[in-house]
Amino acid sequence: MSTYPAKKPFTGWHMTAILVGFFAIVMAVNFTMAGFAMSTFGGKVVENSYVASQHYNDLLDRAAAQDAMGWDETITLDADRHVRLSLTHLGEPLAISGVTAMLSHPLGRVPATALRFAPDGTGAMRSVEALAPGRWRLDASVRHGSDEARYRSDVQ
């Protein structure tokens, strides 16, 4: 015949220890995730959202005017990590007369820098500088004659 040791009763102290342990783990995970989130995103999209909202209709009017031009942009990254930007209208290439571009990290980790472009001989433009590895946001203002269009593209 075998004897089993007597079981200890489950008391309020056991329940307290379980609850305190559970919530300590939940809080530790939450604070860790919040720390990661705060270290990777500054949280600022525009300087003043109220002022930006006052110009929203102007942005819509400019977008409609740009769409009416009928330009199609192609923004690619070549094997040497240079950005190539070309325009077409009704399937025909357009000669780009100038590009002003800013390159930024999508999460704001690196300050925005200007990206210089030079003609590539086909009517398109190619960046002078090669991009560092990673994901980048390109904000470009492209001119063809006296017309201008703005484009935003993620490049990686």
Side-chain angles (χ1 to χ4, degrees):
M1 183 160 131
S2 64
T3 60
Y4 295 104
K7 291 186 178 183
K8 293 184 180 179
F10 186 79
T11 65
W13 288 108
H14 294 110
M15 191 65 206
T16 302
I18 290 170
L19 286 174
V20 168
F22 171 78
F23 283 109
I25 290 170
V26 169
M27 288 175 59
V29 169
N30 283 342
F31 286 123
T32 301
M33 293 300 192
F36 288 148
M38 294 300 291
S39 69
T40 59
F41 179 58
K44 183 169 66 171
V45 177
V46 294
E47 290 295 329
N48 186 331
S49 59
Y50 177 74
V51 172
S53 72
Q54 301 303 306
H55 301 289
Y56 185 69
N57 287 338
D58 295 334
L59 289 172
L60 291 177
D61 292 341
R62 282 190 280 172
Q66 179 173 322
D67 289 343
M69 287 190 294
W71 294 359
D72 293 316
E73 88 284 358
T74 303
I75 300 172
T76 57
L77 194 62
D78 64 17
D80 297 332
R81 300 202 51 83
H82 288 267
V83 177
R84 185 173 184 282
L85 196 147
S86 62
L87 289 178
T88 57
H89 181 261
L90 301 174
E92 297 295 320
L94 290 176
I96 299 174
S97 57
V99 175
T100 305
M102 291 298 288
L103 191 66
S104 60
H105 193 271
L107 297 178
R109 296 171 116 177
V110 180
T113 58
L115 189 62
R116 297 176 300 146
F117 281 82
D120 72 351
T122 65
M125 299 292 258
R126 184 175 187 258
S127 65
V128 175
E129 301 90 0
L131 268 62
R135 183 173 170 206
W136 298 97
R137 180 183 319 163
L138 178 72
D139 292 307
S141 176
V142 182
R143 291 177 300 285
H144 170 70
S146 63
D147 294 325
E148 181 177 358
R150 295 173 186 259
Y151 300 104
R152 174 174 279 175
S153 178
D154 284 340
V155 182
Q156 50 183 338

